Amino acid sequence: MWERVTRQTRAATRRNRDFALLWFGQVSSTLGSKMVQLAVPLYVLGTTGSTVDAGLVAFAAVLPGIALQLPAGVLVDRLNRKTIMLVCEGVRFAGAASVVLSFCYGNVSVLHLAVVAAVESAAAAFFDLAEEAALPQIVRRAELARAIAFNQARIRVAILAGPALGGVLFGISPILPFLADALSYLVSGVCVLLIRARLSGDRTAPVPGDRRSDLREGWHWVRARPFFLMAAVSIGLTNIVGTAFPLAVTAKLTGEGLSPYGVGLVIGTLGVSGLLGSIVAPRITNTVPVGTVLVLSRWLMAISLVGAAVVWGGMLTAICVAPIAVASLVSNVSFGATRLREIPEQFRGRVNSVLTLFTTVLTPLGPLAVGFVIAEWGPVWNMVALAAFMTLVALLSSASRALRSPLQNVAPR
């Protein structure tokens, strides 16, 4: 019985033309973004030699996306979501194309790269919220978990392939990763344009009013549901570790004498294991309560970090870190499916913007803290500190009554 339902769900998801268009477009867009994430620091360091300049561009690529979450959520609930997505892809295409033109005229500056990074980050905030809010209009309720797993898998594919392709293209010519990025946004925009579904659903026309009230409505919805608030806090604290982890592992393995190629293979383990997680995530999401998934995944991450702190060598470290990516992906799919099933259509943009703000606002602290701890105590004690912090997050999640609320026992339909 279960196998038959699963096969039908998989077939329905594959046959869903609109979801296939959205997914393919975002594979293209995400792949282009990951290529540029490598190409930008390579270019800045190669031309200026300044790590400060590279850091400023990286900071510009993060801050607007966080700062604009709440207003983006309001507009996603008030305006046509398809129009928002098309405008965002047009803006990102224009930004990437301007860099290509600057290369052609030989006047690429750090300021230009920082401005484009900020603009693309801002556009991504609007696009991502509109895409997530529109997903229930494209796939059926029973397909949400698998659709979200597919979306998570595309990120892992981009993480694996993007930097490698970006490095190859940059080696041929520095302009090529930026040209590929511009074309990726063009492909994504065409895919969104071809989607037939009504992405804004059947919501009623909004009544003009105070925008501050619109912002507060999303927060009030989350505050009235402690499960969502506590889940977002738990994920946000975990994401601090997630952003710090690649630098921490790189420092530890480099200190052990592992070659850059070997370090790359270990980090690549996260992408491969994430893909494996996308296979099991839908079944776990549809059978295990979301609160249980969140708590157990935190403990699995904590145990894996303890192992990564005490073992020596690339192979053993890779074995220890692989479960982290699986646990992260499964918990993301489980919580993401719950959000889309439980949040009303008319509040989806604003509520998701509040939840996304909670889960991302502290993430820049991860690499900053790692750099300080490594400088003071060394890479091994830094891994110990990460393991201890993750253990505290697991304890906090386990002790939370909100994560054991009746919501987590609602079976998907």
Side-chain angles (χ1 to χ4, degrees):
M1 174 73 176
W2 168 256
E3 290 296 329
R4 183 176 64 187
V5 172
T6 302
R7 285 196 300 270
Q8 291 173 349
T9 300
R10 288 174 179 170
T13 304
R14 285 195 297 267
R15 288 196 303 267
N16 191 320
R17 172 186 175 276
D18 288 339
F19 178 75
L21 283 169
L22 181 62
W23 190 86
F24 179 77
Q26 285 310 288
V27 166
S28 171
S29 176
T30 308
L31 191 62
S33 297
K34 295 301 178 183
M35 285 191 282
V36 167
Q37 281 183 10
L38 177 70
V40 167
L42 285 177
Y43 179 80
V44 172
L45 292 174
T47 55
T48 70
S50 172
T51 56
V52 174
D53 287 344
L56 288 174
V57 176
F59 182 73
V62 174
L63 182 61
I66 296 175
L68 292 175
Q69 282 295 320
L70 296 181
V74 172
L75 292 181
V76 165
D77 281 343
R78 282 189 164 267
L79 303 180
N80 184 289
R81 289 171 185 157
K82 185 173 182 178
T83 301
I84 290 175
M85 294 165 72
L86 287 172
V87 170
C88 289
E89 293 306 70
V91 168
R92 293 199 279 188
F93 169 76
S98 73
V99 176
V100 174
L101 289 176
S102 294
F103 268 106
C104 293
Y105 288 100
N107 59 353
V108 182
S109 67
V110 173
L111 177 61
H112 185 185
L113 292 175
V115 170
V116 170
V119 169
E120 292 192 1
S121 175
F126 285 86
F127 186 98
D128 292 346
L129 283 173
E131 179 197 11
E132 183 175 12
L135 192 58
Q137 312 305 324
I138 297 177
V139 300
R140 296 195 302 266
R141 182 183 177 91
E143 300 170 0
L144 281 174
R146 184 161 297 279
I148 294 173
F150 283 173
N151 286 343
Q152 290 287 320
R154 87 181 179 216
I155 297 174
R156 268 59 185 185
V157 169
I159 291 174
L160 282 171
L165 288 174
V168 171
L169 292 177
F170 189 89
I172 297 173
S173 174
I175 194 176
L176 290 181
F178 299 94
L179 178 61
D181 189 36
L183 293 176
S184 74
Y185 293 132
L186 186 61
V187 170
S188 176
V190 171
C191 289
V192 172
L193 187 64
L194 294 175
I195 292 175
R196 296 170 181 168
R198 187 180 177 209
L199 302 186
S200 295
D202 298 323
R203 63 190 180 188
T204 57
V207 178
D210 186 357
R211 292 296 185 270
R212 288 176 296 180
S213 297
D214 286 340
L215 291 172
R216 287 195 295 265
E217 282 182 341
W219 162 243
H220 290 329
W221 195 97
V222 173
R223 190 178 62 176
R225 292 157 181 83
F227 169 82
F228 283 95
L229 182 58
M230 186 59 210
V233 170
S234 176
I235 292 172
L237 294 174
T238 303
N239 285 343
I240 297 175
V241 177
T243 57
F245 182 68
L247 176 58
V249 172
T250 300
K252 177 178 180 291
L253 294 177
T254 302
E256 294 173 359
L258 195 65
S259 67
Y261 175 74
V263 174
L265 288 178
V266 174
I267 299 298
T269 302
L270 297 172
V272 175
S273 55
L275 288 176
L276 296 177
S278 69
I279 298 174
V280 301
R283 177 168 293 191
I284 293 175
T285 297
N286 289 329
T287 55
V288 181
V290 59
T292 303
V293 171
L294 290 174
V295 172
L296 292 181
S297 64
R298 270 69 199 145
W299 280 112
L300 181 57
M301 293 178 190
I303 294 171
S304 298
L305 284 170
V306 171
V310 300
V311 300
W312 181 277
M315 182 175 295
L316 290 178
T317 301
I319 293 172
C320 289
V321 303
I324 295 176
V326 176
S328 175
L329 189 140
V330 170
S331 65
N332 287 343
V333 171
S334 183
F335 185 54
T338 301
R339 285 158 58 170
L340 293 180
R341 287 167 179 152
E342 299 296 329
I343 301 171
E345 159 65 25
Q346 65 270 28
F347 293 114
R348 201 168 283 149
R350 283 166 287 178
V351 172
N352 279 329
S353 69
V354 172
L355 294 174
T356 302
L357 185 64
F358 268 97
T359 59
T360 59
V361 68
L362 296 178
T363 53
L365 296 179
L368 183 65
V370 164
F372 174 79
V373 175
I374 290 176
E376 294 294 323
W377 298 334
V380 174
W381 281 108
N382 176 72
M383 288 297 298
V384 173
L386 279 181
F389 182 80
M390 194 66 237
T391 301
L392 290 176
V393 175
L395 288 171
L396 176 65
S397 302
S398 300
S400 171
R401 184 177 300 175
L403 291 182
R404 301 192 302 271
S405 69
L407 173 65
Q408 70 153 321
N409 296 316
V410 175
R413 293 178 176 84

